[in-house]
Amino acid sequence: MALTLNKKLKLYIVEVICLLYVLLFVYAAVSKLLDFENFQVQLGQSPILSVYAMLLSWMVPLLELIIALLLIVPKLRNPGLFLAISLMTMFSVYIYVILYYSSFVPCSCGGVLEKMTWNAHLVFNLIFMALGCLAFIINYKSIRDPSLIRIPIRPIKSIPINIILSTLSIIVLFFSSEDKMQHKNPFIRRYPQHPIMRERSTDLKFNSYYFAGYNNNRIYLGNYTDPLHVLSMDATLGERRTEKIIFDPKNIHFKMVKIIVRGSDFYLMDGSVPAVFKGKTINWKIDKEFKDLPFFTRAEPVDTAALVFRSNKGQKGEQIIGAYNEDRVPTTVYNSSFLQKQIDGIFDTDGQLVFSEKLNQVIYVYYYRNQYIVADPNAVVAYRGRTIDTISKAKIKVAYLEDRKERKMAAPPLLVNEHVVACENLLFVHSTIQGKFEDEKIWQQAYIIDVYDLKKKAYIMSFALYKIRDKKFRSFFVTASNLYAIMDDELIVYQLQDILKKEILSNRNKSF
């Protein structure tokens, strides 16, 4: 009699545990499927599962339903419980990695469980793992029914093997996904929680300002319509000053003057003259002129005697990158293989040239395709990297006028990378192309910035700069502690949060 009661109790325990699993898996699976698009988006943002989001978004709820079905059928409970333990182990290891090795927002399990904190969710999963192991042991040892499908290995061996293999599978997924996300990204962006925090803004009155540079905790703004005046502010946009550049242009006919501030030096340049002058920010007085410069369309000073530039001196007026150094003979050298022609060599190679003082590297980012080029101050290419979008060939149409002597865009081009900033080892790119698993609303409300590590040659993360009414995003600038953005006549400062700061600080003492 006692043996019968004991057997019934064990059977009852197994029934209850299996029922709890069935309720959990069916509810979680149905919740995922009912809100499938959101579930897929959240998987796409996962630091472990991003690359496999498309496959797992179907496989996970399907597996949950299959396990629930196995647990309902008494003869199939042994393999059902074995798979349930495995799945709960994977969920637990996944959450543990999220909590202790990642700063990214993980996927939702749907329904009520979505309301739990991740620590509570981990405890919940561990309890279900323990219940599953208990039911599996009881079902294996105590319920002697020859019609049951049994796992060939005893619980004392099969459970540890199951847990170890399930844990290893998540670890393999993690490293595999990380490698693919950073180096072979299938156009899936990661949006960590609050990488920047808006602090304050100020009215510039005019929309003709641009970022000239940063030094000694001050941000400098040039003005296209008033090129000899530079507006400077402290890092928090509090105290501001207007600096007057002391310069007599004589008979120089400037067309488009640009000011660049590098450390304690400033540069006044106009490639249409061509002319580059240098002075000190301590008195804003021109004290040097670069001699024998070629015409250029873009230029970046790399030290007080050298610069890297882009000109139209290539074959058939195509764009070419060159390096100027007044201490070298010849002073100017060109790298004809730097820019890679796809269509016409002019519009298709258009892009932005920036300089990283920390790395002593110049970076050229194409406007209309997913490529950037990293080179040394002599315009020697170090490597070619790719942005995460899929536009590998410029989508432009060129019209040839006046017997092919003049070229114009025949249709609006597909702009890929609109604004670019380099800060130490990081490259910030304002992308205009929507990625996988991204909500249309965020593209209507914000500008998206992608971040790349130039040392690791890897994609790091993305974040949103939210729009201010109908104001146009004109440019931005990044320091080790802040991000500044100009939207028409408004200047906004954002504080970099730890997730971005650590990407900069962790690389400061490493060689390129």
Side-chain angles (χ1 to χ4, degrees), residues 149-160:
I149 296 177
R150 300 169 68 84
I151 301 298
I153 306 175
R154 292 181 176 276
I156 195 170
K157 292 183 178 179
S158 62
I159 290 177

Side-chain angles (χ1 to χ4, degrees), residues 145-185:
D145 187 341
S147 66
L148 295 180
I149 296 177
R150 300 169 68 84
I151 301 298
I153 306 175
R154 292 181 176 276
I156 195 170
K157 292 183 178 179
S158 62
I159 290 177
I161 291 173
N162 186 349
I163 292 173
I164 291 170
L165 291 177
S166 300
T167 300
L168 287 175
S169 67
I170 294 297
I171 293 172
V172 169
L173 273 177
F174 173 68
F175 285 108
S176 172
S177 181
E178 279 297 288
D179 180 67
K180 289 183 179 180
M181 280 292 293
Q182 292 183 4
H183 303 104
K184 301 175 184 178
N185 192 294

Side-chain angles (χ1 to χ4, degrees), residues 220-477:
Y220 294 92
L221 304 179
N223 191 322
Y224 289 117
T225 59
D226 189 7
L228 293 183
H229 285 88
V230 177
L231 179 64
S232 74
M233 303 182 191
D234 62 26
T236 60
L237 309 186
E239 184 261 333
R240 65 167 69 185
R241 297 196 300 260
T242 299
E243 315 288 358
K244 176 68 168 67
I245 296 175
I246 302 172
F247 176 54
D248 180 9
K250 299 179 181 178
N251 296 321
I252 301 175
H253 299 290
F254 290 107
K255 293 182 180 179
M256 181 60 77
V257 172
K258 184 177 180 181
I259 306 297
I260 294 179
V261 175
R262 289 275 160 76
S264 61
D265 298 313
F266 75 91
Y267 300 82
L268 183 152
M269 56 180 60
D270 187 338
S272 64
V273 176
V276 175
F277 297 87
K278 186 190 77 68
K280 294 289 185 181
T281 57
I282 191 171
N283 57 14
W284 293 96
K285 184 178 180 179
I286 295 292
D287 58 22
K288 176 182 178 179
E289 179 182 1
F290 286 60
K291 302 292 186 179
D292 301 320
L293 282 167
F295 289 93
F296 59 86
T297 53
R298 292 191 182 276
E300 283 288 324
V302 295
D303 63 37
T304 56
L307 56 86
V308 173
F309 63 90
R310 186 189 73 188
S311 77
N312 295 110
K313 284 196 171 184
Q315 294 181 1
K316 300 179 182 179
E318 296 171 4
Q319 300 196 105
I320 189 170
I321 297 294
Y324 170 92
N325 191 323
E326 65 180 12
D327 298 328
R328 176 183 60 202
V329 179
T331 57
T332 301
V333 295
Y334 293 93
N335 184 345
S336 59
S337 63
F338 193 105
L339 300 178
Q340 296 179 324
K341 175 181 175 180
Q342 290 184 333
I343 299 170
D344 69 331
I346 297 179
F347 296 116
D348 64 330
T349 57
D350 200 4
Q352 296 191 61
L353 186 67
V354 294
F355 178 66
S356 170
E357 294 180 76
K358 182 67 177 180
L359 300 181
N360 195 33
Q361 300 281 337
V362 290
I363 305 100
Y364 190 87
V365 183
Y366 289 110
Y367 277 132
Y368 307 118
R369 56 175 123 155
N370 62 350
Q371 190 181 73
Y372 63 89
I373 306 158
V374 179
D376 69 14
N378 293 312
V380 176
V381 175
Y383 71 91
R384 299 177 189 272
R386 293 194 179 276
T387 53
I388 60 173
D389 60 90
T390 57
I391 313 300
S392 59
K393 185 173 182 179
K395 295 185 178 181
I396 61 174
K397 291 184 179 180
V398 181
Y400 296 86
L401 308 177
E402 299 179 8
D403 296 326
R404 302 178 72 86
K405 292 182 181 179
E406 183 180 355
R407 312 179 202 193
K408 289 186 177 181
M409 287 282 198
L414 178 63
L415 184 61
V416 177
N417 304 307
E418 187 166 1
H419 302 104
V420 178
V421 173
C423 176
E424 301 205 15
N425 59 296
L426 298 185
L427 181 68
F428 296 78
V429 180
H430 168 211
S431 175
T432 64
I433 307 297
Q434 187 172 342
K436 293 181 181 179
F437 314 122
E438 291 180 5
D439 193 339
E440 184 69 35
K441 289 182 180 179
I442 194 172
W443 283 86
Q444 296 171 356
Q445 300 170 357
Y447 303 101
I448 304 303
I449 308 297
D450 298 326
V451 185
Y452 301 85
D453 191 315
L454 295 171
K455 285 187 175 181
K456 298 176 182 176
K457 305 176 185 178
Y459 165 73
I460 303 299
M461 68 182 78
S462 300
F463 58 87
L465 288 180
Y466 284 92
K467 298 178 180 179
I468 299 175
R469 299 180 294 281
D470 59 347
K471 294 188 176 184
K472 182 181 179 182
F473 181 35
R474 296 192 175 273
S475 60
F476 72 113
F477 193 86

